[in-house]
Structures are given as structure tokens and as C-alpha cells.
Amino acid sequence: MTKDEIYTELKTVLVKSFMIDEDDISLQADLYADLDFDSIDAIDLAAKIHSVTGKQLKPEQFKGVRTIGDAVNVVDELMRNG
């Protein structure tokens, strides 16, 4: 899965599961400041990532995620290194 494919999947999840307007989603969008995420939303997103990738994110991996781009990078690393 390429980073572009990961971004597309994340965008789909954010639109369908979190009712976020697709126009608000960019690699620079801050999950908390721009997209109104809270800690429960972050946990839900990590669970959605697991369902899409089949790989479990560790809490420490997701702790530093602030932007969509950060999430793409974490998923990319997870896919490469398991």
C-alpha cells in the first residue's frame, strides 16, 4: 500500500465514519484543531485503521499523531514493519 493509497483510505474512513467534510481533509489538517477530534475519536480511528490494514496500532505509535499526514506516516510504517 502506497502513502497515496493510505491517504485515500483514511479520507474514506474520516468521511464515512466521522462525518467529516472531504474538503476539510488534507495532509496538513490537524485532527484535533481542524477536525474536532477528541481522544475517543482517536481511539476509534486507530480501530478503523486496524480494520482496514489488519494490523494493530500500539498506543505509543498513535500518541504523536496530530495531522492526517502523521497518521499516513504511522500507517505506512506499520505496513512496512508490522
Side-chain angles (χ1 to χ4, degrees):
M1 198 175 238
T2 67
K3 284 189 175 188
D4 284 341
E5 291 168 332
I6 293 167
Y7 175 62
T8 300
E9 286 292 330
L10 280 175
K11 206 155 62 163
T12 300
V13 166
L14 291 168
V15 170
K16 288 184 177 178
S17 298
F18 296 94
M19 309 309 171
I20 294 173
D21 189 325
E22 190 171 346
D23 294 338
D24 294 336
I25 300 169
S26 70
L27 289 172
Q28 297 77 30
D30 186 291
L31 292 169
Y32 302 95
D34 299 328
L35 304 179
D36 294 326
F37 260 52
D38 59 25
S39 57
I40 300 298
D41 292 327
I43 291 167
D44 288 345
L45 181 58
K48 297 283 184 193
I49 289 170
H50 173 69
S51 70
V52 169
T53 64
K55 302 204 180 252
Q56 186 72 40
L57 271 174
K58 294 180 178 72
E60 61 271 12
Q61 288 175 298
F62 208 72
K63 191 167 66 172
V65 171
R66 292 283 168 241
T67 67
I68 302 294
D70 293 342
V72 168
N73 290 333
V74 165
V75 173
D76 181 56
E77 181 180 323
L78 183 67
M79 297 298 287
R80 290 175 192 267
N81 301 323

mmCIF file of all heavy atoms in Angstrom, residues 1-13 22 25-28 52 68-69 71-73 75-77 79-80:
data_model
loop_
_atom_site.group_PDB
_atom_site.id
_atom_site.type_symbol
_atom_site.label_atom_id
_atom_site.label_comp_id
_atom_site.label_asym_id
_atom_site.label_seq_id
_atom_site.Cartn_x
_atom_site.Cartn_y
_atom_site.Cartn_z
ATOM 1 N N MET A 1 0.850 -1.176 0.000
ATOM 2 C CA MET A 1 0.000 0.000 0.000
ATOM 3 C C MET A 1 0.898 1.242 0.000
ATOM 4 O O MET A 1 1.762 1.378 0.857
ATOM 5 C CB MET A 1 -0.882 -0.035 1.257
ATOM 6 C CG MET A 1 -2.082 0.849 1.227
ATOM 7 S SD MET A 1 -3.115 0.616 2.718
ATOM 8 C CE MET A 1 -4.639 0.141 1.952
ATOM 9 N N THR A 2 0.684 2.137 -0.951
ATOM 10 C CA THR A 2 1.484 3.363 -1.015
ATOM 11 C C THR A 2 0.910 4.405 -0.054
ATOM 12 O O THR A 2 -0.227 4.272 0.429
ATOM 13 C CB THR A 2 1.469 3.959 -2.438
ATOM 14 O OG1 THR A 2 0.142 4.421 -2.724
ATOM 15 C CG2 THR A 2 1.917 2.936 -3.478
ATOM 16 N N LYS A 3 1.682 5.465 0.173
ATOM 17 C CA LYS A 3 1.187 6.541 1.033
ATOM 18 C C LYS A 3 -0.059 7.189 0.443
ATOM 19 O O LYS A 3 -0.962 7.573 1.181
ATOM 20 C CB LYS A 3 2.280 7.581 1.279
ATOM 21 C CG LYS A 3 3.320 7.117 2.275
ATOM 22 C CD LYS A 3 4.242 8.247 2.656
ATOM 23 C CE LYS A 3 5.202 7.791 3.734
ATOM 24 N NZ LYS A 3 5.992 8.906 4.275
ATOM 25 N N ASP A 4 -0.113 7.301 -0.879
ATOM 26 C CA ASP A 4 -1.313 7.854 -1.520
ATOM 27 C C ASP A 4 -2.532 6.973 -1.266
ATOM 28 O O ASP A 4 -3.635 7.472 -1.008
ATOM 29 C CB ASP A 4 -1.104 8.014 -3.031
ATOM 30 C CG ASP A 4 -0.240 9.206 -3.385
ATOM 31 O OD1 ASP A 4 -0.091 10.126 -2.544
ATOM 32 O OD2 ASP A 4 0.299 9.224 -4.509
ATOM 33 N N GLU A 5 -2.333 5.658 -1.341
ATOM 34 C CA GLU A 5 -3.432 4.728 -1.077
ATOM 35 C C GLU A 5 -3.869 4.800 0.390
ATOM 36 O O GLU A 5 -5.065 4.737 0.694
ATOM 37 C CB GLU A 5 -3.025 3.304 -1.442
ATOM 38 C CG GLU A 5 -2.865 3.094 -2.937
ATOM 39 C CD GLU A 5 -2.193 1.767 -3.294
ATOM 40 O OE1 GLU A 5 -1.390 1.251 -2.488
ATOM 41 O OE2 GLU A 5 -2.483 1.257 -4.383
ATOM 42 N N ILE A 6 -2.900 4.927 1.287
ATOM 43 C CA ILE A 6 -3.209 5.058 2.717
ATOM 44 C C ILE A 6 -4.020 6.332 2.946
ATOM 45 O O ILE A 6 -5.038 6.317 3.642
ATOM 46 C CB ILE A 6 -1.918 5.072 3.565
ATOM 47 C CG1 ILE A 6 -1.224 3.716 3.487
ATOM 48 C CG2 ILE A 6 -2.225 5.446 5.018
ATOM 49 C CD1 ILE A 6 0.195 3.706 4.022
ATOM 50 N N TYR A 7 -3.587 7.436 2.331
ATOM 51 C CA TYR A 7 -4.286 8.710 2.467
ATOM 52 C C TYR A 7 -5.727 8.586 1.957
ATOM 53 O O TYR A 7 -6.673 9.029 2.622
ATOM 54 C CB TYR A 7 -3.526 9.802 1.712
ATOM 55 C CG TYR A 7 -4.221 11.144 1.692
ATOM 56 C CD1 TYR A 7 -4.483 11.838 2.866
ATOM 57 C CD2 TYR A 7 -4.613 11.719 0.491
ATOM 58 C CE1 TYR A 7 -5.125 13.064 2.853
ATOM 59 C CE2 TYR A 7 -5.250 12.952 0.460
ATOM 60 C CZ TYR A 7 -5.501 13.618 1.646
ATOM 61 O OH TYR A 7 -6.133 14.835 1.624
ATOM 62 N N THR A 8 -5.899 7.934 0.823
ATOM 63 C CA THR A 8 -7.235 7.751 0.249
ATOM 64 C C THR A 8 -8.114 6.930 1.188
ATOM 65 O O THR A 8 -9.289 7.270 1.410
ATOM 66 C CB THR A 8 -7.138 7.074 -1.136
ATOM 67 O OG1 THR A 8 -6.365 7.918 -1.996
ATOM 68 C CG2 THR A 8 -8.505 6.838 -1.742
ATOM 69 N N GLU A 9 -7.562 5.871 1.762
ATOM 70 C CA GLU A 9 -8.314 5.037 2.712
ATOM 71 C C GLU A 9 -8.692 5.834 3.958
ATOM 72 O O GLU A 9 -9.825 5.747 4.440
ATOM 73 C CB GLU A 9 -7.506 3.796 3.112
ATOM 74 C CG GLU A 9 -7.427 2.742 2.055
ATOM 75 C CD GLU A 9 -8.755 2.049 1.777
ATOM 76 O OE1 GLU A 9 -9.600 1.937 2.689
ATOM 77 O OE2 GLU A 9 -8.952 1.623 0.629
ATOM 78 N N LEU A 10 -7.727 6.593 4.491
ATOM 79 C CA LEU A 10 -8.006 7.397 5.682
ATOM 80 C C LEU A 10 -9.090 8.425 5.394
ATOM 81 O O LEU A 10 -9.975 8.660 6.214
ATOM 82 C CB LEU A 10 -6.740 8.105 6.174
ATOM 83 C CG LEU A 10 -5.770 7.273 6.989
ATOM 84 C CD1 LEU A 10 -4.519 8.065 7.308
ATOM 85 C CD2 LEU A 10 -6.418 6.782 8.273
ATOM 86 N N LYS A 11 -9.008 9.035 4.219
ATOM 87 C CA LYS A 11 -10.003 10.027 3.833
ATOM 88 C C LYS A 11 -11.396 9.383 3.801
ATOM 89 O O LYS A 11 -12.355 9.943 4.327
ATOM 90 C CB LYS A 11 -9.629 10.611 2.468
ATOM 91 C CG LYS A 11 -10.160 11.975 2.242
ATOM 92 C CD LYS A 11 -9.387 12.805 1.240
ATOM 93 C CE LYS A 11 -9.347 12.286 -0.147
ATOM 94 N NZ LYS A 11 -8.952 13.298 -1.125
ATOM 95 N N THR A 12 -11.482 8.212 3.216
ATOM 96 C CA THR A 12 -12.756 7.494 3.149
ATOM 97 C C THR A 12 -13.292 7.207 4.546
ATOM 98 O O THR A 12 -14.478 7.417 4.830
ATOM 99 C CB THR A 12 -12.588 6.182 2.359
ATOM 100 O OG1 THR A 12 -12.151 6.507 1.038
ATOM 101 C CG2 THR A 12 -13.881 5.395 2.285
ATOM 102 N N VAL A 13 -12.422 6.741 5.435
ATOM 103 C CA VAL A 13 -12.821 6.449 6.817
ATOM 104 C C VAL A 13 -13.298 7.722 7.517
ATOM 105 O O VAL A 13 -14.330 7.716 8.203
ATOM 106 C CB VAL A 13 -11.653 5.802 7.598
ATOM 107 C CG1 VAL A 13 -11.917 5.799 9.095
ATOM 108 C CG2 VAL A 13 -11.397 4.390 7.102
ATOM 109 N N GLU A 22 -15.172 16.134 3.157
ATOM 110 C CA GLU A 22 -13.964 15.787 2.408
ATOM 111 C C GLU A 22 -13.097 17.008 2.105
ATOM 112 O O GLU A 22 -11.875 16.918 2.069
ATOM 113 C CB GLU A 22 -14.340 15.066 1.111
ATOM 114 C CG GLU A 22 -13.150 14.466 0.405
ATOM 115 C CD GLU A 22 -13.534 13.570 -0.768
ATOM 116 O OE1 GLU A 22 -14.712 13.190 -0.888
ATOM 117 O OE2 GLU A 22 -12.633 13.258 -1.558
ATOM 118 N N ILE A 25 -10.368 17.765 4.653
ATOM 119 C CA ILE A 25 -9.302 16.777 4.845
ATOM 120 C C ILE A 25 -8.123 17.078 3.929
ATOM 121 O O ILE A 25 -8.275 17.196 2.720
ATOM 122 C CB ILE A 25 -9.834 15.355 4.570
ATOM 123 C CG1 ILE A 25 -10.994 15.035 5.523
ATOM 124 C CG2 ILE A 25 -8.717 14.322 4.708
ATOM 125 C CD1 ILE A 25 -11.748 13.774 5.172
ATOM 126 N N SER A 26 -6.963 17.218 4.556
ATOM 127 C CA SER A 26 -5.709 17.375 3.823
ATOM 128 C C SER A 26 -4.613 16.768 4.681
ATOM 129 O O SER A 26 -4.832 16.473 5.865
ATOM 130 C CB SER A 26 -5.401 18.858 3.559
ATOM 131 O OG SER A 26 -5.062 19.504 4.773
ATOM 132 N N LEU A 27 -3.446 16.583 4.115
ATOM 133 C CA LEU A 27 -2.336 16.020 4.891
ATOM 134 C C LEU A 27 -1.959 16.928 6.054
ATOM 135 O O LEU A 27 -1.473 16.465 7.078
ATOM 136 C CB LEU A 27 -1.125 15.776 3.987
ATOM 137 C CG LEU A 27 -1.278 14.626 2.998
ATOM 138 C CD1 LEU A 27 -0.107 14.599 2.018
ATOM 139 C CD2 LEU A 27 -1.396 13.285 3.716
ATOM 140 N N GLN A 28 -2.195 18.218 5.911
ATOM 141 C CA GLN A 28 -1.834 19.185 6.948
ATOM 142 C C GLN A 28 -2.929 19.386 7.995
ATOM 143 O O GLN A 28 -2.694 20.009 9.030
ATOM 144 C CB GLN A 28 -1.510 20.552 6.321
ATOM 145 C CG GLN A 28 -0.317 20.550 5.391
ATOM 146 C CD GLN A 28 -0.632 19.953 4.020
ATOM 147 O OE1 GLN A 28 -1.745 20.034 3.530
ATOM 148 N NE2 GLN A 28 0.361 19.323 3.410
ATOM 149 N N VAL A 52 -8.919 -1.778 8.468
ATOM 150 C CA VAL A 52 -8.516 -1.595 7.063
ATOM 151 C C VAL A 52 -7.210 -2.329 6.760
ATOM 152 O O VAL A 52 -7.064 -2.962 5.725
ATOM 153 C CB VAL A 52 -8.384 -0.087 6.728
ATOM 154 C CG1 VAL A 52 -7.713 0.123 5.387
ATOM 155 C CG2 VAL A 52 -9.747 0.583 6.749
ATOM 156 N N ILE A 68 -3.331 14.562 9.611
ATOM 157 C CA ILE A 68 -3.623 13.444 8.710
ATOM 158 C C ILE A 68 -2.316 12.885 8.151
ATOM 159 O O ILE A 68 -2.137 11.682 8.038
ATOM 160 C CB ILE A 68 -4.543 13.895 7.553
ATOM 161 C CG1 ILE A 68 -5.855 14.466 8.082
ATOM 162 C CG2 ILE A 68 -4.781 12.753 6.570
ATOM 163 C CD1 ILE A 68 -6.742 13.490 8.777
ATOM 164 N N GLY A 69 -1.377 13.773 7.825
ATOM 165 C CA GLY A 69 -0.071 13.339 7.323
ATOM 166 C C GLY A 69 0.660 12.461 8.324
ATOM 167 O O GLY A 69 1.287 11.464 7.944
ATOM 168 N N ALA A 71 -0.775 10.553 10.530
ATOM 169 C CA ALA A 71 -1.483 9.269 10.510
ATOM 170 C C ALA A 71 -1.050 8.431 9.318
ATOM 171 O O ALA A 71 -0.820 7.226 9.450
ATOM 172 C CB ALA A 71 -2.996 9.491 10.489
ATOM 173 N N VAL A 72 -0.906 9.067 8.157
ATOM 174 C CA VAL A 72 -0.449 8.355 6.955
ATOM 175 C C VAL A 72 0.929 7.757 7.210
ATOM 176 O O VAL A 72 1.184 6.587 6.895
ATOM 177 C CB VAL A 72 -0.434 9.285 5.722
ATOM 178 C CG1 VAL A 72 0.300 8.638 4.556
ATOM 179 C CG2 VAL A 72 -1.856 9.660 5.322
ATOM 180 N N ASN A 73 1.826 8.538 7.810
ATOM 181 C CA ASN A 73 3.186 8.062 8.068
ATOM 182 C C ASN A 73 3.208 6.898 9.052
ATOM 183 O O ASN A 73 3.959 5.936 8.868
ATOM 184 C CB ASN A 73 4.068 9.206 8.567
ATOM 185 C CG ASN A 73 4.357 10.217 7.487
ATOM 186 O OD1 ASN A 73 4.357 9.910 6.300
ATOM 187 N ND2 ASN A 73 4.594 11.451 7.883
ATOM 188 N N VAL A 75 0.755 4.730 9.618
ATOM 189 C CA VAL A 75 0.194 3.550 8.949
ATOM 190 C C VAL A 75 1.211 2.981 7.962
ATOM 191 O O VAL A 75 1.385 1.763 7.871
ATOM 192 C CB VAL A 75 -1.141 3.872 8.261
ATOM 193 C CG1 VAL A 75 -1.628 2.702 7.421
ATOM 194 C CG2 VAL A 75 -2.194 4.264 9.296
ATOM 195 N N ASP A 76 1.893 3.861 7.237
ATOM 196 C CA ASP A 76 2.918 3.413 6.286
ATOM 197 C C ASP A 76 4.001 2.622 7.023
ATOM 198 O O ASP A 76 4.395 1.539 6.579
ATOM 199 C CB ASP A 76 3.522 4.613 5.565
ATOM 200 C CG ASP A 76 4.574 4.208 4.544
ATOM 201 O OD1 ASP A 76 4.253 3.405 3.642
ATOM 202 O OD2 ASP A 76 5.721 4.691 4.654
ATOM 203 N N GLU A 77 4.466 3.145 8.148
ATOM 204 C CA GLU A 77 5.495 2.456 8.934
ATOM 205 C C GLU A 77 4.960 1.123 9.452
ATOM 206 O O GLU A 77 5.664 0.108 9.413
ATOM 207 C CB GLU A 77 5.907 3.344 10.121
ATOM 208 C CG GLU A 77 6.992 2.734 10.982
ATOM 209 C CD GLU A 77 7.370 3.632 12.148
ATOM 210 O OE1 GLU A 77 7.400 4.861 11.981
ATOM 211 O OE2 GLU A 77 7.631 3.070 13.221
ATOM 212 N N MET A 79 2.668 -0.754 8.088
ATOM 213 C CA MET A 79 2.559 -1.676 6.965
ATOM 214 C C MET A 79 3.930 -2.230 6.561
ATOM 215 O O MET A 79 4.043 -3.388 6.173
ATOM 216 C CB MET A 79 1.914 -0.992 5.752
ATOM 217 C CG MET A 79 0.482 -0.528 6.000
ATOM 218 S SD MET A 79 -0.665 -1.846 6.378
ATOM 219 C CE MET A 79 -0.827 -2.599 4.779
ATOM 220 N N ARG A 80 4.940 -1.414 6.661
ATOM 221 C CA ARG A 80 6.293 -1.846 6.279
ATOM 222 C C ARG A 80 6.935 -2.743 7.327
ATOM 223 O O ARG A 80 7.612 -3.714 7.002
ATOM 224 C CB ARG A 80 7.203 -0.636 6.076
ATOM 225 C CG ARG A 80 6.870 0.177 4.859
ATOM 226 C CD ARG A 80 7.755 1.421 4.820
ATOM 227 N NE ARG A 80 7.292 2.350 3.835
ATOM 228 C CZ ARG A 80 7.736 2.375 2.583
ATOM 229 N NH1 ARG A 80 8.627 1.508 2.189
ATOM 230 N NH2 ARG A 80 7.260 3.247 1.726
#
